[in-house]
Structure formats: C-alpha cells, structure tokens
Amino acid sequence: MNTTEDKLRERVKELTCLYEVTSIIVNSDYDQLEKSLEAIAYCLKRAWQFEKVTEVFLKAGEFQVQTDDYSKDMVTLVSKIKVFNKVEGEVLVGYPSNKYTLDDFLVEEQTLLNNVALAIGNLIERKYIKDNEAITKRQIERADRLHILGEITAGIAHELNTPLANILGFAELLTDKITDKETVRDLEKIMDNAIFSREIVKKLMFFACEMPQEMKTVKLIPIVTNVTKLLAPTLRDKKIKLDIVFNNEDIALRADTVQITQVLFNLIMNAIYYSPTEGSVSVKIEETDRHILLIIADQGEGIPVELEDKVFEPFFTTKPIGEGTGLGLSVVHGIITSHKGTLQHKPNTPKGTIFTVHFPKL
C-alpha cells in the first residue's frame, strides 16, 4: 500500500467497520447474540487490506462464530475479549499462511481489532448484567409470593386447628359410647381423616415457619445416615444406588433436629421418586469457609422451565393424584428459610435435577 489513495481507502474501510460494529451492538437482541457476533465477524472480514482472502474467528463466552473458510493454520492477528476485566474469549483475523505473513498486516488493523474486541466485551458485559437483573427480579417476585403465601397459610392453619381438634375429640367420645361395630368403624375413618388433615395443617405451619423450633448444635452426617436407613426399603424397591459424599465427618450446624431431618427426608425421597429404576441419587455434604452445603442430585426427567418458579409453592405437585400433597418442597423451603438458609435447584447432567441447600456456618 504505497499511494495516499490506498491509505485513505484503508482508513475509510476501518472507520466503516467501526461504525457498522457499533450499529450492530446498539441494535443487538440479547436473546440472539450469536447473530450479532456473526455480523461483526463479516464486518471485520470486509475491513482488512486483502478482504477476499480474509477470514475471521470469534469466541466470546459461550458463543463461537467464524467466517466460511477460516482454518486454524492461518497466519492471524489476535485480540483478547475481556468481560469484567477477565479474558472470556478472543477474536482472530487471518490470511492463508501459504501466501501471507504477519508483515502483511497493517499496524492500524491491529488497533481496529483491539477496538472491536473491546466493544464485544462491553456487549457481553451488558448481556450478563441484563440476565442477572432478570434472575434477581424473578427471585424477588418469588420471595414476595412465598411470603404472602406464608402469611395466608399461617392464618388458614390456625383457623383449621380448632375445628379439627373438635372433630377428633368428639369422634373419640362417640367411639367410647357406641357399641355398634359398623358405626365404630365409620367413626375410626373420621378420626383417621382428621389426623391426616391435622398433619397437613402441621406441614402448612412448617411452611409458614409457625412451628416452634428447638435450635441446638447438631451433626449432619448421623442425621443423613438415619434418613437413609428409613428410606432403605424404597431404595431397594427401585434398585436405586445412593452415593453419600462428605468432606468432614464432624460437620455441624445450629438447627432443629426434627426439621433438618424433614428437609433431608423430603429432598432425598423426591430424588428417589423421580429417578428411574436402577438409577442413582447422590448426596453431598460440603463445608466451606462461610456455608454448609447439602447437594442432592437425581437422574429424573428434570423440572420443566415453565414450572421452575412453582415448585416451592404449597399444594403444587407433579405427582399423580393420591401420591403427593404438594407440601413437601414448600415445607422444606419454609424450614430452610427459618434457618436463614437458601434452597436452589438447577438441571443435572445429562438429565435430572440438583437441589442445593446453603446453611450459614455456626
């Protein structure tokens, strides 16, 4: 490139490329970011001195695009893409190595590439910020919804306790006075259903954090062992392999023993229920500097995206009628919240669900 006209032509191409890249980024759809990155790659291809043989490779975070004839053996200019000051990818512009060398690139082309890499990094940062805002908004909305449900549930539970106690008490009195066996059997059915209803009320009060707690220092591993013994028949029936992993036998936290047992029982029982026959369930107990983690993973079908925000709501269940009240996970959520912990779920690999409980350390 010897003449002033050639130099001017190259500067115009570079400025045009920067303008087009800026326009692409401004109008980017964060849900279709790969298309924007592909458009940027072809903008770069047109901006180089020998554009007919120029090829581009671009990798940013989870996204990766390249022009049609890019190959790894090309001679390339490289610029790293940084997202929040951390390298998250790179953009390469290359010529065929059998005809060109690094000397065939212009100094200005490296500057252009650095500017484009910076702009791509800023785009990815904005996508991450947007995604985090959406996640935070959903978490706040779910927390508000669960708080309102907790207040309503507590009121319902208190209102139901008295009439259930009356039904049970008067049915017991009638049982003592009546001699007809058929009538006694009917009264026993009334009492059994009243007791079942009272257990549901108790679970509702757990969800609403209305049950009194006996907080003390408890060791987790013995509780896990006791729960697995209770679930041994179910594990045998489904031929489920249960893997228990922990990094310290003496892991302890301040908790209500009965409630923590209920948390473990419900989460492991759910994992067994949704895992296929001859599948496996893993239970990990980890201690970090600030938290104690309970991680229960199954190999079931997983939680559909449209149901992710509903699984902790009372009376919501995907189990067939008669196999679940829909109170298991809502109760677990209420107990964990009352222990100042958090409960989260995410997909397992290749399929299934992982529930993770974070408890604060003593």
Side-chain angles (χ1 to χ4, degrees):
M1 186 173 66
N2 297 319
T3 67
T4 302
E5 185 178 350
D6 290 336
K7 291 179 180 178
L8 182 59
R9 188 183 302 112
E10 291 305 314
R11 297 295 79 73
V12 170
K13 285 166 66 177
E14 290 164 12
L15 290 171
T16 302
C17 176
L18 274 177
Y19 173 77
E20 289 179 350
V21 168
T22 302
S23 298
I24 291 167
I25 288 174
V26 167
N27 295 294
S28 283
D29 182 347
Y30 291 113
D31 295 325
Q32 298 183 2
L33 209 54
E34 192 167 355
K35 290 184 178 180
S36 298
L37 295 176
E38 187 175 347
I40 290 171
Y42 280 94
C43 279
L44 284 170
K45 178 178 168 67
R46 293 190 297 271
W48 253 242
Q49 184 179 4
F50 307 110
E51 60 181 282
K52 290 184 179 180
V53 294
T54 302
E55 301 298 336
V56 180
F57 173 85
L58 195 161
K59 185 178 186 305
E62 63 189 275
F63 304 102
Q64 181 174 307
V65 297
Q66 64 184 56
T67 52
D68 294 334
D69 297 320
Y70 175 81
S71 65
K72 292 182 179 180
D73 60 354
M74 293 184 125
V75 57
T76 58
L77 289 182
V78 182
S79 187
K80 299 296 182 183
I81 296 172
K82 290 185 177 181
V83 179
F84 300 115
N85 294 321
K86 181 183 177 183
V87 175
E88 292 282 347
E90 59 185 359
V91 55
L92 295 81
V93 179
Y95 292 144
S97 57
N98 59 341
K99 292 183 179 180
Y100 298 89
T101 68
L102 281 174
D103 294 333
D104 291 307
F105 291 106
L106 305 175
V107 174
E108 293 82 1
E109 288 173 339
Q110 181 66 64
T111 303
L112 172 63
L113 191 60
N114 292 342
N115 288 332
V116 171
L118 180 63
I120 293 171
N122 291 337
L123 173 62
I124 302 297
E125 284 181 4
R126 290 200 292 276
K127 174 179 168 51
Y128 286 171
I129 290 169
K130 180 178 179 291
D131 290 347
N132 287 334
E133 285 177 348
I135 291 169
T136 303
K137 183 180 178 183
R138 284 200 301 272
Q139 288 175 340
I140 291 171
E141 288 173 349
R142 188 176 72 184
D144 286 345
R145 189 164 64 248
L146 289 174
H147 177 71
I148 293 167
L149 280 170
E151 290 184 346
I152 295 170
T153 299
I156 293 171
H158 284 300
E159 290 295 324
L160 286 174
N161 256 338
T162 301
L164 283 173
N166 289 337
I167 291 169
L168 193 57
F170 283 111
E172 287 175 345
L173 287 174
L174 286 171
T175 303
D176 293 336
K177 294 179 180 179
I178 294 174
T179 56
D180 180 63
K181 290 183 179 179
E182 189 173 336
T183 305
V184 170
R185 280 198 299 270
D186 290 340
L187 287 170
E188 286 174 348
K189 288 178 182 178
I190 291 173
M191 287 189 289
D192 287 342
N193 281 279
I195 290 169
F196 177 76
S197 300
R198 194 170 61 182
E199 287 303 308
I200 291 178
V201 169
K202 190 184 293 184
K203 288 182 178 180
L204 286 171
M205 293 179 75
F206 269 126
F207 168 74
C209 305
E210 290 288 320
M211 295 295 291
Q213 293 176 325
E214 294 183 14
M215 303 294 282
K216 59 183 179 181
T217 301
V218 296
K219 289 188 176 183
L220 275 179
I221 306 306
I223 295 177
V224 174
T225 303
N226 289 336
V227 168
T228 55
K229 286 179 180 177
L230 290 171
L231 292 172
T234 309
L235 290 165
R236 281 197 301 272
D237 289 344
K238 289 194 71 175
K239 299 178 183 177
I240 298 287
K241 179 185 176 185
L242 181 65
D243 295 316
I244 301 174
V245 180
F246 48 88
N247 59 5
N248 180 0
E249 286 191 5
D250 297 320
I251 294 175
L253 73 155
R254 185 167 175 75
D256 182 295
T257 305
V258 174
Q259 292 185 358
I260 292 301
T261 301
Q262 191 166 4
V263 166
L264 284 161
F265 185 90
N266 273 282
L267 290 177
I268 297 173
M269 185 65 194
N270 265 2
I272 295 170
Y273 180 88
Y274 287 107
S275 288
T277 302
E278 298 185 354
S280 68
V281 171
S282 71
V283 179
K284 294 182 182 178
I285 303 99
E286 298 179 359
E287 186 174 19
T288 67
D289 292 338
R290 298 176 59 189
H291 294 96
I292 291 168
L293 308 181
L294 303 178
I295 305 165
I296 293 96
D298 65 56
Q299 296 179 336
E301 294 301 318
I303 300 171
V305 174
E306 65 272 16
L307 301 181
E308 286 180 350
D309 290 338
K310 295 183 178 181
V311 293
F312 300 131
E313 294 180 4
F315 303 113
F316 175 81
T317 181
T318 57
K319 294 178 181 178
I321 294 172
E323 291 191 28
T325 60
L327 289 172
L329 284 178
S330 63
V331 168
V332 165
H333 185 276
I335 291 171
I336 292 169
T337 301
S338 71
H339 282 72
K340 304 188 186 307
T342 60
L343 175 61
Q344 299 168 327
H345 63 80
K346 65 179 181 180
N348 196 5
T349 303
K351 65 177 184 177
T353 304
I354 300 173
F355 280 91
T356 303
V357 184
H358 290 75
F359 283 119
K361 285 188 71 171
L362 292 171

